[in-house]
Amino acid sequence: MSEIYPVPPAFAARAHVDAAAYDRLYRQSVEDGEGFWRGQAAFLEWMRPFTRVSDTNFDPADLRIRWFADGTLNASVNCVDRHLPAKADKPAILWEGDTPGENRMVTWGELADKVNRLANVLKGLGVGKGDVVAVYLPVIPEVMVAMMACVRIGAVHTVVFSGFSSESLANRIEDSQAKVLITADEGHRGGRVVPLKRNADVAVAGQPSIRHVVVVRRSGAPVPVTPGRDLWYDEATVAADPWCEPVEVGAEDPLFILYTSGSTGKPKGLVHTTGGYLVHVGTSWRIIFDWHEGDLFWCTADVGWVTAHSYKIYGPLLNGATSVMFEGVPSWPDSSRWWSIIEKHGVNIFYTAPTALRSLMREGEGPVRKHDLSSLRVLGSVGEPINPEAWRWYHSVIGGGRCPIVDNYWQTETGAVLLVPIPGAIPNKPGMAAQPYFGIRPEVVDADGNTLEGAAEGNMCFRGSWPGQARTILHDHERFIRTYFAPYPGRFFTGDGVKRDADGYYRISGRVDDVINVSGHRLGTVELESAISSHPAVAEAAVVGYPHEVKGQGVFAYVTLKEEVPESEELRREIIEWVRARIGPIASPDIVQWAPALPKNRAGKILRRILTKVAANQFDNFGDTSTVADPAVVDDIVRRRQTHLAQEKA
Ligand code: WT7
């Protein structure tokens, strides 16, 4: 028997979409996708209206994804200018700094002014339509300004998570050939200082594509300045003209590039285009969070991820919604920080990730009870499967039992939501992303490519295009086709496993490829392995995910040292540090186990299935081990794991 939480009737009564509307609209949206999305596209202000809705084909031999292709528009006009007549003096952003008491309010009028000025600064630096601008900023209003300033002049932003290392930043700059980098002197997170300008200097040193670095003064700390290359954001924008004519771009012109990890070493730059993305994001954001005029929205995601691109920046801006923006972390100065912000501002819609909920849950109800959370109406969850225990805590302790939970499933590649319990329409089942969004056709597919009907378990695929999906991987269209469209022809393959129950509810079970999901962050195991293997003492490494109470999955690294190198605690710590420095703290291995050899088949392929089992403390049922070249290797990694567990217990 599965647990069902019906839609509260009062909620359904004022919702944009109730159960009857969902059934009707969903049917219409799949029977007449063109008609449905044409209607949705009216949500945007177009400069030249499109005549054709879509031209799409998922056949790997002739892949086409084009939406509203002959229409033209400007994203910043839709996100900012449109709201000025009614809202120039009203808040767009309520910002809370890392340190309690430090806050700012930015009105729509101020936002427009900042966007126009920075757009002119970028233009003055030689940035034009189609040029790439890298953004390496903390969660401060200027990050939104930077993104909007880029799209105002038809430039393409690539936002890099400010927790990434200089090397990760450099890789992304190199791949995207960004002309300008926008960063800050320092970032503040959880009471600690992040030396952004210093990281940026290291990253830019070997990147000739970068001509200028624009530096936002966040902390005011003295930082090195390279004359001729660097300029201060505040000085440059004060001197700039306050009006910048928005550039008309085609619907299929790129809006942004966002890098994410895949199952091969190099992060891939997913390219999103303008018209389709804005239609899908803007209309779905309003519906899935059931936002109404006057509601206050807060998404806790960092700007470096797609969650924030779509549903913290573009979704709220397109709808003229006021958002809370918070620079810090939920646990600092103490674990009631988020709840104090909800109470202070009266947040109505709160959107976060399961990993944070699991860590806050461990602090008990005390930190929550100190605050009045009665303003909350809708709760969102994204980034990884939410375990039923965390779901129930979120529902009862944070939501007081009255708020529907919007567990929305999607990816960097999909741009916006695919599966979601629309809150006024679909009853909740804990841990289930529930039902398809409008126009979305999920399929559960077995390993042979057969589409399964009814209750079933298999690979999560989608048939038919939707406007928000990525169009390509930058410089690697072949990889785009191979990864997403070749595995199951006619369908987009997500890389996730899924289970559908008898009521047609979907539960995502996690990745089935070489990607692990650590605290809602995607990490490619191959990327981690190459970082570890680049350490001079390491001969070889294999990385797998293992179940982690708070992070969902943790990083488990099996490391083979070079012959003459002795195993030591010091070296173990050094390798962990090495990965932090190469990728960033989110990629730190949780467990490093020495492996004098790795289990391989006769062709030399590492048998990850066995490594994954051992990491999860499953020491039997390795399945068919006849392919293992040397069975003694398996015995050895099992023995080492068991010894470690015994030591931990003692
Ligand atoms: C991967 C995508 C959605 C934007 C944030 C992450 C996992 C995401 C859910 C969910 C279960 C989820 C999948 C997916 N995932 N949302 N509601 N339930 N799993 O974007 O970094 O591109 O990661 O996150 O495994 O493939 P991303």
Side-chain angles (χ1 to χ4, degrees), residues 260 305-307 351 381-386 407-413 433 494-496 508 510-511 517 520-522:
T260 189
W305 315 115
V306 78
T307 301
Y351 183 35
S381 171
V382 74
E384 51 174 322
I386 180 166
D407 176 359
N408 51 114
Y409 166 77
W410 48 293
Q411 307 177 307
T412 306
E413 292 84 343
T494 58
D496 284 305
I508 299 297
R511 305 288 304 196
N517 192 328
H521 303 318
R522 262 164 84 164

Side-chain angles (χ1 to χ4, degrees), residues 546-564:
Y546 74 102
H548 187 289
E549 221 184 294
V550 173
K551 299 177 171 184
Q553 282 190 296
V555 177
F556 194 118
Y558 295 89
V559 177
T560 308
L561 295 172
K562 287 189 179 150
E563 222 155 290
E564 67 283 8

